[in-house]
Amino acid sequence: MTTTDDTIDPTDDTHVPPGASAHVCERCGRPFADEEYLSLHRGLDHAADLSAAEREAFEAAHESEVADLQRFRLLALAALVALYFGFLMTYAVVT
């Protein structure tokens, strides 16, 4: 989204809850509600100029994110299998 002078407003696609402390990227000014999100942002958008500590924080946040996504995928698969067999058993009983 652009402002009236055609510059990009870095807060257009971010949401920090009211009363929460924002973690702001010192390179581009985007606010984040969580330090982990800021670490992921730095690693993805500013990878070329990360310090060693920032790179370690990014790698830890990335590993955590990958583990969370893998867990979600497994739970979604389990839910779909349970739903499928639930419908299959219902069909078997009804017919």
Side-chain angles (χ1 to χ4, degrees), residues 35-65:
E35 182 68 31
E36 187 173 315
Y37 299 150
L38 177 59
S39 296
L40 287 170
H41 163 74
R42 283 181 188 145
L44 295 174
D45 290 347
H46 309 294
D49 56 344
L50 289 181
S51 68
E54 290 172 335
R55 180 150 315 275
E56 287 179 19
F58 166 70
E59 290 172 358
H62 186 264
E63 288 175 11
S64 173
E65 188 77 13

Side-chain angles (χ1 to χ4, degrees), residues 81-92:
V81 168
L83 185 66
Y84 172 78
F85 281 107
F87 281 133
L88 184 65
M89 293 300 127
T90 302
Y91 178 75

Side-chain angles (χ1 to χ4, degrees), residues 23-30 38 41-42 46 50 54:
H23 302 276
V24 179
C25 178
E26 62 280 350
R27 291 173 180 90
C28 65
R30 287 183 64 187
L38 177 59
H41 163 74
R42 283 181 188 145
H46 309 294
L50 289 181
E54 290 172 335

